[in-house]
Amino acid sequence: IKNIHAWDYDTVSDVNLANQAFAERHIGMPKVEAVAELVREHTGGTITTHQEKVDGTQKLGDIVLMLPDSMEARESIFKKAIRLKPWVKLLIETRMGTFESRLYAINPRKPAQIRGYEGTLYDDAFAQASTCGTAISVGATAGVLACMATMNLVRWFRLQEDPNLEDELEHELIIFHTPFATMSRQFN
C-alpha cells in the first residue's frame, strides 16, 4: 500500500494513550499529525493527512479503514462517503466494547453486504459507554482487533490476485473477551 490518507478532526488526549499508539508527547496534537509522525518513525513512510470531519464531500480511497468513536459517526460516514461509492472496494470497521469487540469487512457496493452491515448500526443511546482509555479496555484488546483487521485486509488482497477464490472475508467477526471465543458470519 503506497497511498495512505488519514482523516480525523480530533486531537490526541490522555484517554487515547491506553488503547492507541500515541505517547504523552502527542497530547494536544491533531490525531492525523501524530499518526503521520508515528508512521515516519516506525516505517520511514509518509501518509497524507486531512484534519477534517468526513462528511461525504471527500473522495475516500478504494480501501477504507473506519474507526469512529460513535455509532452516529459510523452511520453518517458510511451513508455519506462509503455506501455504493464505485471507487470504494473494501470497508474494514472495528468496534471495541467492555465484553466484546467486533470487526466488519465488507464490499460496500454489494447490496447484501450493505444490508447486513446496516443491520449492525444502532442509536448511540443503546451503545455501551466508550471504554477508551479505561482499565476495562486495554491495549491488548485493541491489538487483537487490529490483528484481525489486518488478517482480513491480507485476505482481501489475496482475493484480488485470484478471482477464482471464494469470498472468505468475515463480514462480521465478534470476539468475546471473557471467556475468549469468536463467532463470525457472512452477509450474503
Side-chain angles (χ1 to χ4, degrees):
I1 301 174
K2 296 180 181 178
N3 186 10
I4 299 174
H5 289 249
W7 304 80
D8 200 323
Y9 63 95
D10 203 1
T11 57
V12 178
S13 68
D14 59 343
V15 299
N16 302 126
L17 301 182
N19 295 321
Q20 298 172 21
F22 303 122
E24 284 188 34
R25 73 178 191 274
H26 296 120
I27 293 175
M29 285 179 70
K31 283 186 176 180
V32 291
E33 296 305 325
V35 167
E37 181 181 287
L38 289 167
V39 168
R40 274 191 307 278
E41 288 174 5
H42 295 282
T43 70
T46 60
I47 64 172
T48 303
T49 62
H50 307 271
Q51 189 180 4
E52 61 185 276
K53 188 174 187 174
V54 175
D55 61 10
T57 61
Q58 306 86 351
K59 184 176 179 182
L60 304 181
D62 54 347
I63 300 170
V64 176
L65 179 59
M66 184 168 66
L67 308 164
D69 294 333
S70 70
M71 293 304 289
E72 179 183 11
R74 282 177 177 83
E75 185 172 12
S76 175
I77 293 167
F78 183 71
K79 288 184 176 176
K80 293 178 181 177
I82 298 170
R83 184 181 193 268
L84 295 174
K85 300 296 185 200
W87 56 86
V88 181
K89 299 174 185 174
L90 175 66
L91 165 66
I92 296 178
E93 189 246 312
T94 61
R95 303 175 192 172
M96 192 163 60
T98 304
F99 304 108
E100 67 187 39
S101 298
R102 292 176 182 254
L103 166 79
Y104 297 91
I106 67 161
N107 179 337
R109 298 174 296 171
K110 290 190 172 182
Q113 293 182 33
I114 291 169
R115 281 190 304 275
Y117 177 76
E118 287 179 337
T120 73
L121 300 171
Y122 47 85
D123 191 278
D124 280 318
F126 300 105
Q128 290 179 2
S130 174
T131 59
C132 183
T134 68
I136 296 171
S137 170
V138 295
T141 303
V144 168
L145 198 52
C147 287
M148 296 296 202
T150 303
M151 179 183 69
N152 268 284
L153 180 60
V154 169
R155 285 179 175 174
W156 183 82
F157 278 118
R158 234 179 51 227
L159 289 168
Q160 304 316 297
E161 292 171 1
D162 186 352
N164 295 321
L165 291 174
E166 288 187 39
D167 180 0
E168 59 180 56
L169 294 180
E170 295 162 321
H171 299 153
E172 179 179 48
L173 175 65
I174 304 171
I175 305 162
F176 300 97
H177 302 166
T178 306
F180 182 81
T182 62
M183 178 176 79
S184 66
R185 69 177 169 151
Q186 303 289 104
F187 296 142
N188 293 326

